[in-house]
Amino acid sequence: MSTISIIGTGNMASAIGKLAVTNGHTVEIIGRDQAKAAEVADSLGGSTTTAEFGAVQAGDIVIVALGYANVVPVVTQFGDALRGKVIVDVCNPVTPTADGLATPDGTSSARMVADAAPAGASVVKAFNTTFGAVLAKGQPVDVLIAGDDEHAKTRVAEFITSLNLRPLDTGGLNMAHYLEATGLVMIGLAQHGVGHFDFALEVTTPR
Amino acid sequence: MSTISIIGTGNMASAIGKLAVTNGHTVEIIGRDQAKAAEVADSLGGSTTTAEFGAVQAGDIVIVALGYANVVPVVTQFGDALRGKVIVDVCNPVTPTADGLATPDGTSSARMVADAAPAGASVVKAFNTTFGAVLAKGQPVDVLIAGDDEHAKTRVAEFITSLNLRPLDTGGLNMAHYLEATGLVMIGLAQHGVGHFDFALEVTTPR
């Protein structure tokens, strides 16, 4: 068990935080709005704490659970406070109409985080193909991940496994762009073929 | 039950053709190599036929089951012979090292097919997130689809349902790019997190 720092106070922050607390981790919630962060920390229970926005985090894994517009600005603001950390980017960078990616061609939210992060930090894409509402149910869903630093990816995979979820590696950080596209396909499914956001993408092996 | 035309003689052509024959459709196999097409038609059994490469097809649905390099050239060669058809593009346009998409930025194989197709033809992206080997097993996998023409998409969805598979709409033809990215994620999973190509992506609803 370890300490996990989560930057964000939305539904992904709450869902991952709750799973972490339930499975014995210590969680630190970090929000620009300290009152909101304290409220989320209270709702998670356990020994969940809050920390100053922009300061060095307690956890070796720092989950950035923010909307796309805030991810790079916040990572830039934290700057050297993220040195040595495993940064997990969970966001789906979609356009306002959710029918395209908002990232420039040839990059991804996770790659932009890697470019903005200080030396010694590693970035792993994870959790963007799992909806918060589904994670919140505690079902053993598949969590697709990507990253260039094998050590960091192994650390994140161990954390995911500790939540009773199944980590599945898709390759290097270049795959983050395609994972973000897969997140958009899930939103398309929710809007068209499925009709709700209460589903998971599962890797199944036929008989 | 209807007649389905399949351009191609590879494993996707065989897998979809076999499912179609098994479920009572008449299949027409069209290949540049007539001997190979006849061989595939024989292997499918039923009343499977072959047809001249480039001629008007018997089916109202024409499945283009070719590798990315051949898709647009073949659709261009068939030209007016595809007028009025529902063209199904199944390909995964990946780079030789399978860690990126081979399509130019801002488009997709399916969109390029639509641009190359004659007036009156409609293009639907389908089957690129289902591996041929898995389809060949006849499991009831999910088939993600995208297209702008609702009538054509409904027709393809009916065909998919008739194969005891589940069609799931992801939206308009702009989503084909993201479906192709999802196909690449599946290849990444096969190479990294799963270790084989014998798996399906399934949409599951948690309890």
Side-chain angles (χ1 to χ4, degrees):
Chain A
M1 302 305 101
S2 53
T3 299
I4 304 295
S5 296
I6 301 176
I7 304 176
T9 57
N11 72 327
M12 284 298 284
S14 289
I16 297 171
K18 192 73 192 176
L19 283 174
V21 168
T22 302
N23 290 285
H25 296 284
T26 301
V27 172
E28 176 183 67
I29 296 287
I30 304 163
R32 198 184 295 276
D33 180 340
Q34 295 273 338
K36 177 69 179 161
E39 188 185 305
V40 172
D42 279 353
S43 76
L44 297 183
S47 52
T48 306
T49 59
T50 60
E52 186 190 344
F53 192 81
V56 172
Q57 311 85 47
D60 64 323
I61 292 180
V62 179
I63 298 171
V64 181
L66 299 169
Y68 172 58
N70 292 315
V71 170
V72 167
V74 164
V75 168
T76 302
Q77 179 181 344
F78 275 60
D80 276 351
L82 287 162
R83 190 174 296 274
K85 302 297 184 182
V86 175
I87 303 172
V88 179
D89 171 39
V90 310
C91 91
N92 275 314
V94 300
T95 60
T97 50
D99 60 355
L101 289 178
T103 45
D105 285 337
T107 189
S108 64
S109 169
R111 173 72 67 191
M112 294 162 76
V113 167
D115 291 344
S122 293
V123 175
V124 175
K125 186 82 194 185
F127 290 109
N128 79 297
T129 61
T130 52
F131 292 131
V134 174
L135 281 176
K137 293 189 175 183
Q139 300 291 316
V141 297
D142 290 336
V143 179
L144 308 189
I145 66 177
D148 285 338
D149 179 336
E150 292 300 328
H151 181 77
K153 201 156 57 173
T154 299
R155 179 73 187 89
V156 171
E158 287 169 354
F159 171 62
I160 291 168
T161 301
S162 80
L163 306 182
N164 294 314
L165 309 175
R166 180 169 68 155
L168 288 172
D169 185 14
T170 63
L173 198 64
N174 67 299
M175 293 301 292
H177 170 67
Y178 305 106
L179 278 179
E180 292 169 11
T182 303
L184 184 61
V185 164
M186 292 188 68
I187 294 168
L189 283 168
Q191 293 175 329
H192 299 276
V194 178
H196 56 75
F197 282 83
D198 188 18
F199 69 90
L201 272 196
E202 191 181 346
V203 171
T204 62
T205 301
R207 289 183 299 279
Chain B
M1 299 309 99
S2 53
T3 298
I4 304 295
S5 296
I6 301 176
I7 304 175
T9 56
N11 73 326
M12 283 300 283
S14 290
I16 297 171
K18 192 75 193 176
L19 283 173
V21 168
T22 303
N23 290 285
H25 297 284
T26 301
V27 172
E28 178 183 66
I29 295 287
I30 303 163
R32 196 185 296 275
D33 180 341
Q34 295 273 338
K36 177 70 180 162
E39 186 184 309
V40 171
D42 279 352
S43 76
L44 296 183
S47 52
T48 307
T49 59
T50 61
E52 186 190 345
F53 193 81
V56 172
Q57 311 83 47
D60 64 324
I61 292 180
V62 180
I63 298 171
V64 181
L66 299 169
Y68 172 58
N70 292 315
V71 171
V72 166
V74 165
V75 168
T76 303
Q77 179 181 343
F78 275 59
D80 276 352
L82 287 162
R83 192 175 295 274
K85 303 295 184 181
V86 175
I87 303 172
V88 179
D89 172 39
V90 311
C91 91
N92 275 315
V94 301
T95 60
T97 49
D99 60 355
L101 290 177
T103 45
D105 286 337
T107 188
S108 64
S109 169
R111 173 72 68 192
M112 292 163 78
V113 168
D115 291 344
S122 293
V123 176
V124 175
K125 186 82 195 184
F127 290 109
N128 79 296
T129 60
T130 52
F131 292 131
V134 174
L135 282 176
K137 294 190 176 184
Q139 299 291 316
V141 297
D142 291 336
V143 179
L144 308 188
I145 66 177
D148 284 340
D149 179 337
E150 292 299 329
H151 181 75
K153 201 156 57 175
T154 299
R155 179 73 187 90
V156 173
E158 286 169 356
F159 170 62
I160 291 168
T161 301
S162 79
L163 307 182
N164 293 316
L165 310 174
R166 180 168 69 155
L168 289 171
D169 185 14
T170 63
L173 198 64
N174 68 298
M175 292 302 291
H177 170 67
Y178 305 107
L179 279 179
E180 291 168 11
T182 303
L184 184 61
V185 164
M186 291 187 68
I187 293 169
L189 282 168
Q191 294 176 328
H192 298 277
V194 177
H196 57 76
F197 283 82
D198 187 19
F199 69 90
L201 271 195
E202 190 181 348
V203 171
T204 62
T205 300
R207 288 181 301 277

